[in-house]
Amino acid sequence: MRKMKPFLAALAVLFVVSCKEKPEQKTEEIAKTEFKVEYEKFTLDNGLQVIFHIDRSDPVVAVALTSHVGSAREKVGRTGFAHLFEHLLFLESENLGKGGLDKMSARIGGSGANGSTSRDRTNYYQTVPKDALEKMIWAEADKLGYFINTVTDPVLAKEKEVVKNEKRQRVDNNPYGHVNYVQTKALYPEGHPYSWTVIGSLEDLQNATLQDVKDFYNKWYVPNNVTLTIAGDFDKDQAKAWVKKYFNEIKKGDAIPALEKQPVTLAETKKLYYEDNFARLPQLSLTWPSVPEFDKDAYALDVLTSYLSSGKKAPLYKTLVEEKQLTDFVRMYNYSSELAGELTLSVTAFDTTELSKVNSAIQEAFATFEKEGISDADISRIKAGQETDFYNSLSSVLGKGFQLAQYEIFAGDPGYVSEDVKNILAVTKEDVMRVYNTYVKGKNFIAVSAVPKGQASLVLEGSTKAEVVEEQIVEGKESSFDPSIAATYEKTPSSFDRSIEPPYGSSPDVKVPDVYKEELSSGIKVFGIENNEVPLVQFSIKINGGMLLEDKNKIGVSNLVASMLTKGTKNKTPEELENAIESLGASINASANDQYITISGNSLAKNYTKVMELVNEIILETRWDAKEFALLKQSTISQLQRAQANPNSIARDEFSKVLYGKDNILANNNAGTTASVKAITLEDLQNYYKANVSPTVASFHIVGDITTANVTASLETLNTKWEKKDVNVPTVIAAKTPEKSKVYFYNVPDAKQSVLLFGAPAIAATDKDYYPAQVMNYRLGGGSFASQLTQELREGKGYTYGVRSSFSGDKTAGLFTVSSGVRTNVTYEASQLIKDIFNNYSKGYNQNDLDVSKGYMIKSNARAFETMDSKLNMLLNISTYNYPVDYAKQREQGVKNMSVEDVKALVDEYVNPDKMIYLIVGDAKTQLKNLDKLGYGEPELLNPDEILKD
């Protein structure tokens, strides 16, 4: 991945169909329907496959370029190369120039150029306002055909450091980060295309040469190995002309033969283990070989893994969670790729649990399944969820484009959705039992035990130690490079001047969704948007209070209250409630944070009334089941223990403690501590609920294919039967700005990265400066690759995989923070560079910075309300902060009126590096000694009991 936040596009079921299907269709009826994706496909003379999909629901287009190359096409000794190449392709091309794609993305209001690499493909994508489509086609063509001359040795050296930082962040500095490496190496024979991980080895990355880059490009990044998808609101004839203009000249490459399927078999069961530097709990993962993508058995394997592990009825849940109480969660899934597949079961056990006991319990659960099987009712329940997944997948034009490319590349037909749907809905209980017997029962598997350091006694019996390569980071040994050195080359010839960026098309007409508001007699405030693009409804009920209403000595009550709400009702056991929800193809979840308890739901519009009847039960007839409460307490404690192993979680918790001080309730993690959770009783939860969960402090937000009248009718029971109470939610006590900066350090021995979290109190979301501060922050650290922090720390120095700054706020208070994970041996250097950027930002801010920021903030409004999630978030902003319904338009006008002087005044007011908290989580024995050079005195070690070893 290129960006810090990965794109979560891999849904278990993702369909692309016409939005005109009748919402009253049932799953059984869907199985009889011939689904057809509305698309147009054509092929250029050079072999480029092009797929168009029209969706005029929003004035945006998604453009994706997918190359049929991933880690499986790499050579032994050059692993990780496909992913490294994904990074390189963003940096420069002949006509976009250095950083040109990111600069253009900012100007046009795009979602940000991003990419991802899998075993079998690499894609590059972005959603933009529709007036920028020609610009995107021009840019993607430049990346594909006019890129390779711009790559130099310094550029390659810098990007190697970025990818290494990504590996440290995702693998080396993460609990259980090496499990995938151990699994993969053991499951696939040496030389198999899947026998190494996508991110590869650091040694191979370091050995990659400039010639390797050129060879890889010339072989794989040719039009006849690439698919271009465009989905959204555009004119097909015009887009076709643009595609031909910009892509036709790119030369076709050599023919690329297809790889044969290479499923694997295991001659024996292999049991391996390693001691994990970050894990706090033991984890057991079992992996069996399965089948490639789109194999007929893959569909039944998906149902099998869902039934065995998901929900209270699941055999694995019943045995491991309820009966044996060895864990709070079991994960099982089938992962099918182009050449082969694998089926994995993963259990993170409770503290000091022997993994042999976990394995025995797994076998007991399997024996129960073999005896009892799966019912037709359970098959229907799972398919009901698939129906909802089907419609959920229609909410994003980017998701549609991705799936069109996926079908084209791996199934040979963008319209394969018809066959895919048939295969999914044709699965029978006999199929499920057959694939269990074929791929799981009595079959050899790979077992990986990952246990905390010093707890090898917990590993699965018979395990041998796995080889795990740990990077040694040495002070002063980091690579040096100068990425500012410009490449010199003769430009690739073209029949027209490609250096001229195309003009904008007609400006999109951005329409803010119509919002209706109502206050019911009980005090419930209702906010809604009617939207019939898909037959779905999403809703949330937000109840003010959260942790603010808790006893400081028993933090964690509201979190447990929220979790207990969905654990059964007066007339339904926890399992019966879950089954009722899933049988409707719906989801209902409850959660809590510092200031709210939220109940959220997602359902088919046709089932909305029945889903709300269940919500009524959840709120009015909570079960308060003692057995569920005991399980939930143990689960919460386990989650807290896992968080203690995550440097990012540690940083968030420690920052709050330092920021707010011991007397402010916001200094706490709202989940509590292991001690506070152990002390909480079921009576504590009931008392909190009786006193604080009331319609007088509740708001209801809903988006979807439902009328205002039907929404009001669905709330009648809550409006008349939910007891009103006088709830006094305390005002948040804002944190005090430090009089002077101070450095705090939390020691995680042998950390491969240091997590930096710097910041200070700032402004509330209701303050007049709040949105102008977002504009000011765009070029500082909020604009990803358009920001100075990213350009200097990542692109200029290679210190980090990602860095960002942000303003966050609630009704009465807010924060300004900057966060990053940096290579351990540049902890001081990265910290000093951030401080310098803060100091110089106001002085260096100019009209161009403001123009870029304005362009992004205004033009990105075209994307602001594309999905149901974004519309629901809009309602939450209106409800929580009392924003006007057209606040997006008002903000747009405010941005237009901002001046450079306005921005500089905001920087001077809210970004003062000499009045901040500097918190670092990392290896104290090597990094603590340098940090006094920041000029803020001797750092304070927050966990001095952790011995600093030489």
Side-chain angles (χ1 to χ4, degrees):
M1 296 293 291
R2 182 183 186 231
K3 301 289 179 75
M4 289 181 67
K5 185 176 180 181
F7 185 85
L8 303 178
L11 293 172
V13 183
L14 183 59
F15 309 130
V16 183
V17 301
S18 167
C19 296
K20 297 180 180 179
E21 296 300 329
K22 294 181 179 180
E24 64 269 16
Q25 280 187 299
K26 296 180 180 179
T27 303
E28 293 80 3
E29 294 171 326
I30 287 179
K32 302 174 186 176
T33 304
E34 180 69 20
F35 284 107
K36 294 182 180 179
V37 60
E38 297 294 333
Y39 73 91
E40 178 179 339
K41 174 188 168 183
F42 60 95
T43 305
L44 299 187
D45 292 341
N46 57 16
L48 181 74
Q49 302 289 336
V50 186
I51 303 169
F52 287 169
H53 175 76
I54 300 298
D55 179 343
R56 303 203 186 281
S57 57
D58 293 280
V60 298
V61 287
V63 179
L65 198 72
T66 305
S67 180
H68 191 175
V69 59
S71 60
R73 271 71 174 174
E74 294 165 349
K75 296 185 293 187
V76 175
R78 288 295 182 268
T79 65
F81 209 83
H83 176 244
L84 172 64
F85 198 86
E86 174 216 320
H87 280 244
L88 289 169
L89 202 62
F90 285 102
L91 301 180
E92 185 177 356
S93 56
E94 292 183 18
N95 301 291
L96 276 163
K98 191 177 182 66
L101 181 62
D102 292 312
K103 293 173 184 176
M104 188 188 81
S105 298
R107 289 196 311 274
I108 66 179
S111 60
N114 210 340
S116 68
T117 306
S118 74
R119 288 169 166 171
D120 305 305
R121 62 99 189 105
T122 307
N123 64 2
Y124 307 86
Y125 52 86
Q126 184 167 198
T127 302
V128 300
K130 70 176 188 177
D131 65 345
L133 176 57
E134 186 182 4
K135 293 175 182 287
M136 281 300 299
I137 294 172
W138 167 73
E140 293 303 315
D142 210 50
K143 284 163 55 183
L144 180 63
Y146 303 85
F147 151 78
I148 196 62
N149 288 335
T150 67
V151 183
T152 63
D153 282 314
V155 168
L156 179 60
K158 186 272 298 181
E159 207 60 28
K160 286 179 183 179
E161 293 304 314
V162 172
V163 174
K164 288 179 188 177
N165 282 319
E166 181 177 357
K167 184 177 185 292
R168 293 172 191 127
Q169 181 172 312
R170 295 182 183 276
V171 179
D172 301 340
N173 225 47
N174 215 21
Y176 317 111
H178 293 288
V179 169
N180 179 241
Y181 167 79
V182 176
Q183 282 175 333
T184 298
K185 189 175 181 181
L187 180 63
Y188 296 99
E190 186 175 354
H192 189 286
Y194 293 167
S195 62
W196 52 83
T197 61
V198 173
I199 204 161
S201 79
L202 292 184
E203 181 181 2
D204 286 354
L205 285 173
Q206 189 57 46
N207 291 336
T209 68
L210 186 58
Q211 189 58 49
D212 290 330
V213 172
K214 293 182 177 182
D215 291 344
F216 193 88
Y217 169 82
N218 291 327
K219 181 172 184 177
W220 300 110
Y221 279 80
V222 289
N224 47 303
N225 195 47
V226 170
T227 299
L228 172 70
T229 54
I230 301 175
D233 184 8
F234 63 97
D235 180 274
K236 287 194 293 185
D237 292 337
Q238 179 63 79
K240 186 178 294 187
W242 285 335
V243 169
K244 290 180 177 179
K245 173 182 178 180
Y246 293 110
F247 280 93
N248 255 344
E249 287 186 334
I250 302 173
K251 293 181 180 179
K252 186 175 185 176
D254 293 337
I256 298 175
L259 290 179
E260 296 295 324
K261 305 295 184 188
Q262 299 183 48
V264 298
T265 57
L266 291 173
E268 61 180 351
T269 290
K270 302 176 187 177
K271 301 176 182 179
L272 303 160
Y273 81 92
Y274 78 97
E275 295 182 47
D276 194 300
N277 188 53
F278 293 94
R280 296 295 178 268
L281 301 172
Q283 183 186 88
L284 178 66
S285 297
L286 308 181
T287 303
W288 294 263
S290 69
V291 296
E293 188 174 23
F294 300 127
D295 185 283
K296 61 183 178 61
D297 284 351
Y299 302 93
L301 285 167
D302 287 338
V303 176
L304 170 69
T305 56
S306 175
Y307 179 74
L308 286 175
S309 63
S310 300
K312 293 186 173 298
K313 195 172 184 180
L316 288 165
Y317 181 90
K318 281 185 171 294
T319 303
L320 277 80
V321 179
E322 290 189 346
E323 296 173 15
K324 306 290 186 181
Q325 297 188 19
L326 300 172
T327 183
D328 62 332
F329 181 69
V330 180
R331 182 174 179 237
M332 191 177 189
Y333 58 92
N334 179 55
Y335 179 46
S336 291
S337 301
E338 181 182 13
L339 308 179
E342 55 203 62
L343 187 150
T344 297
L345 192 165
S346 180
V347 178
T348 302
F350 291 143
D351 192 22
T352 69
T353 298
E354 294 177 2
L355 294 179
S356 292
K357 292 181 179 179
V358 172
N359 187 52
S360 296
I362 290 170
Q363 303 312 314
E364 285 185 38
F366 284 169
T368 300
F369 173 65
E370 291 166 16
K371 180 180 178 181
E372 299 178 356
I374 182 172
S375 68
D376 287 326
D378 289 316
I379 293 286
S380 296
R381 171 176 57 86
I382 292 170
K383 287 181 181 178
Q386 291 175 330
E387 184 182 358
T388 303
D389 288 339
F390 151 68
Y391 286 117
N392 276 327
S393 70
L394 299 174
S395 65
S396 160
V397 291
L398 185 60
K400 296 171 189 177
F402 277 163
Q403 199 60 20
L404 285 167
Q406 186 84 356
Y407 285 135
E408 165 63 23
I409 293 170
F410 301 117
D413 177 14
Y416 190 77
V417 61
S418 303
E419 193 66 26
D420 212 13
V421 171
K422 288 178 183 177
N423 291 338
I424 290 167
L425 297 176
V427 173
T428 66
K429 62 183 181 181
E430 290 77 18
D431 292 327
V432 174
M433 296 307 299
R434 176 179 54 78
V435 295
Y436 170 78
N437 290 322
T438 302
Y439 302 103
V440 180
K441 184 179 179 181
K443 306 303 178 185
N444 293 321
F445 57 88
I446 304 299
V448 179
S449 302
V451 297
K453 287 279 189 184
Q455 296 186 26
S457 61
L458 301 179
V459 305
L460 180 63
E461 186 177 353
S463 297
T464 58
K465 191 168 185 178
E467 178 191 6
V468 173
V469 179
E470 293 274 7
E471 180 190 15
Q472 299 300 314
I473 300 179
V474 181
E475 291 297 300
K477 295 295 184 181
E478 60 273 12
S479 300
S480 60
F481 51 85
D482 183 0
S484 65
I485 299 175
T488 56
Y489 54 85
E490 184 177 341
K491 292 189 70 170
T492 305
S494 176
S495 62
F496 62 97
D497 187 354
R498 289 178 176 266
S499 65
I500 301 173
E501 181 177 326
Y504 285 105
S506 299
S507 295
D509 181 20
V510 181
K511 185 177 184 298
V512 177
D514 293 328
V515 176
Y516 60 86
K517 298 193 290 186
E518 182 181 3
E519 182 167 350
L520 305 183
S521 58
S522 62
I524 300 175
K525 296 178 177 63
V526 181
F527 302 80
I529 295 172
E530 289 187 37
N531 180 265
N532 59 6
E533 290 176 25
V534 289
L536 285 178
V537 172
Q538 287 187 17
F539 63 87
S540 73
I541 303 171
K542 190 157 75 168
I543 304 164
N544 293 352
M547 185 176 65
L548 294 177
L549 294 167
E550 293 186 29
D551 180 346
K552 288 182 182 179
N553 297 314
K554 283 193 175 181
I555 297 296
V557 169
S558 62
N559 180 61
L560 292 171
V561 167
S563 298
M564 283 294 290
L565 289 175
T566 54
K567 300 297 189 290
T569 65
K570 180 181 178 181
N571 297 312
K572 288 184 176 68
T573 65
E575 184 178 316
E576 288 170 343
L577 176 61
E578 182 180 83
N579 188 66
I581 295 169
E582 292 181 353
S583 295
L584 294 170
S587 63
I588 302 175
N589 299 294
S591 61
N593 63 18
D594 293 351
Q595 300 186 46
Y596 307 101
I597 289 176
T598 301
I599 302 168
S600 58
N602 183 339
S603 79
L604 295 164
K606 66 183 181 183
N607 293 334
Y608 168 73
T609 300
K610 292 179 180 178
V611 172
M612 283 304 298
E613 289 172 359
L614 296 175
V615 172
N616 293 340
E617 283 190 57
I618 286 169
I619 293 177
L620 302 178
E621 301 175 358
T622 308
R623 189 175 183 87
W624 305 118
D625 187 284
K627 179 182 176 182
E628 287 294 324
F629 177 61
L631 291 172
L632 186 58
K633 285 182 65 173
Q634 182 59 61
S635 173
T636 304
I637 290 169
S638 181
Q639 291 169 22
L640 289 167
Q641 290 171 330
R642 288 198 289 270
Q644 291 169 7
N646 187 309
N648 289 293
S649 296
I650 292 170
R652 287 191 295 269
D653 286 350
E654 294 300 319
F655 189 85
S656 293
K657 292 176 186 177
V658 172
L659 177 71
Y660 291 107
K662 62 180 180 179
D663 294 328
N664 191 322
I665 197 168
L666 292 178
N668 298 283
N669 180 329
N670 81 297
T673 64
T674 54
S676 69
V677 172
K678 287 178 181 178
I680 294 170
T681 66
L682 191 56
E683 185 179 8
D684 292 327
L685 271 60
Q686 292 168 317
N687 290 339
Y688 180 100
Y689 179 89
K690 290 174 184 176
N692 302 317
V693 178
S694 168
T696 57
V697 289
S699 54
F700 183 81
H701 318 85
I702 184 165
V703 175
D705 191 11
I706 190 84
T707 65
T708 307
N710 286 340
V711 170
T712 302
S714 74
L715 295 172
E716 180 63 23
T717 299
L718 285 179
N719 189 45
T720 56
K721 295 186 177 181
W722 193 358
E723 181 185 354
K724 293 196 287 185
K725 306 151 193 171
D726 291 327
V727 181
N728 182 23
V729 180
T731 300
V732 173
I733 301 174
K736 294 181 179 179
T737 300
E739 293 184 5
K740 59 182 180 179
S741 290
K742 186 171 181 179
V743 181
Y744 300 86
F745 201 103
Y746 189 99
N747 185 26
V748 176
D750 300 321
K752 305 302 181 186
Q753 278 193 322
S754 294
V755 173
L756 313 182
L757 182 53
F758 306 160
I763 41 181
T766 52
D767 192 284
K768 64 178 178 59
D769 282 345
Y770 187 70
Y771 193 68
Q774 311 281 352
V775 180
M776 173 268 284
N777 182 59
Y778 183 76
R779 292 290 268 178
L780 176 59
S784 190
F785 284 79
S787 72
Q788 285 191 26
L789 286 168
T790 296
Q791 285 300 314
E792 297 201 33
L793 269 80
R794 172 172 163 155
E795 300 302 293
K797 296 292 187 180
Y799 287 166
T800 182
Y801 172 53
V803 57
R804 71 187 302 267
S805 60
S806 64
F807 285 88
S808 58
D810 54 40
K811 287 181 286 189
T812 58
L815 293 174
F816 169 75
T817 56
V818 59
S819 59
S820 184
V822 303
R823 190 171 72 243
T824 291
N825 59 359
V826 294
T827 301
Y828 160 70
E829 290 82 357
S831 301
Q832 181 63 51
L833 182 53
I834 292 171
K835 177 185 172 183
D836 291 342
I837 292 170
F838 286 166
N839 271 322
N840 297 322
Y841 187 57
S842 177
K843 288 177 283 188
Y845 197 91
N846 58 38
Q847 187 63 46
N848 179 65
D849 292 320
L850 181 59
D851 291 342
V852 170
S853 300
K854 284 184 175 184
Y856 175 81
M857 304 302 270
I858 293 170
K859 284 189 167 293
S860 62
N861 270 346
R863 301 182 290 104
F865 312 113
E866 182 198 357
T867 64
M868 293 182 71
D869 282 340
S870 61
K871 293 180 178 72
L872 193 63
N873 187 62
M874 170 188 170
L875 293 179
L876 287 165
N877 283 337
I878 292 169
S879 164
T880 304
Y881 307 122
N882 198 30
Y883 289 163
V885 294
D886 65 341
Y887 73 88
K889 284 290 188 182
Q890 292 188 25
R891 284 178 167 180
E892 183 177 311
Q893 188 58 49
V895 172
K896 290 178 179 177
N897 295 333
M898 288 183 69
S899 67
V900 171
E901 289 69 28
D902 293 333
V903 172
K904 290 189 173 189
L906 290 166
V907 177
D908 295 340
E909 179 70 20
Y910 300 115
V911 183
N912 185 346
D914 295 327
K915 292 186 176 182
M916 283 189 182
I917 293 164
Y918 289 72
L919 175 67
I920 298 163
V921 178
D923 182 35
K925 69 177 180 289
T926 59
Q927 301 308 309
L928 186 61
K929 61 181 181 294
N930 296 322
L931 294 171
D932 58 354
K933 292 190 289 185
L934 287 172
Y936 299 128
E938 185 177 347
E940 179 178 335
L941 186 62
L942 296 173
N943 56 335
D945 293 337
E946 185 71 56
I947 298 174
L948 305 186
K949 300 176 183 177
D950 293 328

